[in-house]
Amino acid sequence: MTAVIQPGQITEAQPEVPALRPADRKIFRRRAERLRALAAGHAMEDYLSFMARLADAQQSALDIYSEVAEAIPDPQAVARARDLGLPPFPAQGWARDSSWRAALRNILEDVRREAPEPLCIAIDELMNTASTELEGMADRILTGNDPMLDPAMAPLIGAALQVYWTHLSTSIDQADPQREQQPSTCPVCGSHPVASLRRIGGVEQGLRYLHCSLCETEWNYVRIKCTSCESTTGIGYYGVDGEREAVEAEACDDCHGYLKLMHMERDPDVDAIADDLATLALDIAMADEGYTRVGLNLLFVPGEEVSTAN
Ligand SMILES: [Zn+2]
Ligand SMILES: [Zn+2]
C-alpha cells in the first residue's frame, strides 16, 4: 500500500546550527598573521608587531603539546562534568598540571630574543620565579581583574594559560548537549568572552558567537542582547570612524556595559583577540561615553603602558 503524503506533512530538514565552535590547533598562527596585517601603518605598530611574535610563540608552544602525553584530559571526568551541565575544564578550580609552566617557559624563551629592553626585565624575572608563585599569579589572572597584576608579566602568563586551555579544549570531542539557555560564559571553561563575532558562511551566516578569552571556543549567542545583564532593550552600536566598521561596540543602556562585536561580512579575517587589541581607541571612546568594558582580554591589562613594547 502506498502512503499518501499531504503537502503540509513535508518538512525540510533544517541544518542544525552548531551551539559550539571548537578552536582548531592553528588558531595562534592565524592570529599572528592577523596581528602583522593590523600592525602595518597602525599608530601602535610596534606593540601589535610584538603581539604577533607572542602569538607565534603561543603556536610553537601548542605544537609541542602534541607530544606531551600527561596533559591529555580524562574523558570520563569530562563526561561527568557535562552530565552535570558544568564546564569540563573550569578556569577556576581546574587542577592545572605543570605543563602550562613548560609552555610559559617556551613562550618566554621565544619572545625574549626580540623583546624590547623593559620587557626583557619582566621576562627574566618570570623565568626565575618559583613554581608556587607562578601558580598564585595564574590563579589571580583566572579569577578576573586584579589591580595588583604586573602589566608586563600578566599578558605573558595569560598567553601560556591560553595555550594550556586551548590544548584542553581541542583534545576532546566537543559535542555539546543542546542547552535550554545560552550561557554568557564559556560552556567549556566558564570564562568570560573577549568579544563576539557575527559570522559568515553556511548555517552560521549572520549568527553571533561569543569568543572565549581563555580556551578559544566560540558559542552561539542570540543577537542584540547584553551579555552582562541579558537585557534586550536599549542596545546601541558605536564605532570610532563612522559607518560599517568591522569592529563596533555593542553597548547596553541598562547596565552601561559594552562588548565588542566583529562583523565578518565587513572583514572576513577579523580575529576576536587581535582585533580587540588593535581597537583600543574604541575602548577609550566608550569610556568617554560612560560605558564600562565587559570583554576580558588576557593579553592586555587595563592601564598597561603600551609603550613597554616599543
Ligand atoms: Zn573557554
Ligand atoms: Zn546590560
Side-chain angles (χ1 to χ4, degrees), residues 95-151:
R96 298 182 296 270
D97 65 46
S98 63
S99 63
W100 85 268
R101 281 185 270 117
L104 174 63
R105 179 156 282 275
N106 287 331
I107 289 169
L108 295 176
E109 284 170 0
D110 252 16
V111 295
R112 198 192 185 291
R113 279 178 236 129
E114 294 178 75
E117 187 58 34
L119 200 56
C120 285
I121 297 166
I123 290 170
D124 291 345
E125 206 174 312
L126 273 180
M127 282 196 180
N128 293 311
T129 300
S131 305
T132 47
E133 206 175 320
L134 285 177
E135 294 294 342
M137 290 164 94
D139 285 339
R140 283 160 55 209
I141 287 168
L142 294 171
T143 35
N145 289 329
D146 181 340
M148 299 307 286
L149 287 174
D150 183 299

Side-chain angles (χ1 to χ4, degrees), residues 149-302:
L149 287 174
D150 183 299
M153 291 185 193
L156 297 165
I157 295 173
L161 293 169
Q162 282 178 340
V163 168
Y164 176 73
W165 254 276
T166 301
H167 167 74
L168 292 176
S169 74
T170 54
S171 296
I172 56 160
D173 170 25
Q174 287 196 13
D176 189 55
Q178 290 297 319
R179 290 159 195 266
E180 300 259 313
Q181 289 188 325
Q182 296 170 321
S184 56
T185 52
C186 177
V188 175
C189 74
S191 296
H192 287 283
V194 57
S196 66
L197 285 98
R198 209 173 152 208
R199 302 201 61 90
I200 51 172
V203 292
E204 295 168 4
Q205 181 68 37
L207 296 180
R208 169 154 83 146
Y209 283 79
L210 304 185
H211 190 104
C212 180
S213 54
L214 181 64
C215 78
E216 309 280 355
T217 301
E218 292 183 356
W219 67 100
N220 187 221
Y221 197 80
V222 70
R223 287 175 53 208
I224 320 175
K225 180 177 179 178
C226 176
T227 60
S228 185
C229 74
E230 304 195 341
S231 173
T232 53
T233 56
I235 307 290
Y237 297 87
Y238 296 81
V240 174
D241 318 306
E243 290 183 0
R244 293 195 62 77
E245 286 176 74
V247 182
E248 290 179 323
E250 185 184 79
C252 171
D253 279 338
D254 272 3
C255 69
H256 291 272
Y258 73 93
L259 186 72
K260 286 178 186 169
L261 172 63
M262 310 190 175
H263 297 268
M264 291 182 75
E265 72 240 282
R266 299 178 192 175
D267 186 340
D269 296 326
V270 284
D271 172 271
I273 289 179
D275 282 72
D276 179 38
L277 294 175
T279 53
L280 296 178
L282 180 56
D283 295 289
I284 293 165
M286 292 307 286
D288 287 347
E289 294 287 324
Y291 291 100
T292 306
R293 181 184 159 98
V294 295
L296 179 67
N297 194 329
L298 298 186
L299 303 186
F300 185 79
V301 175

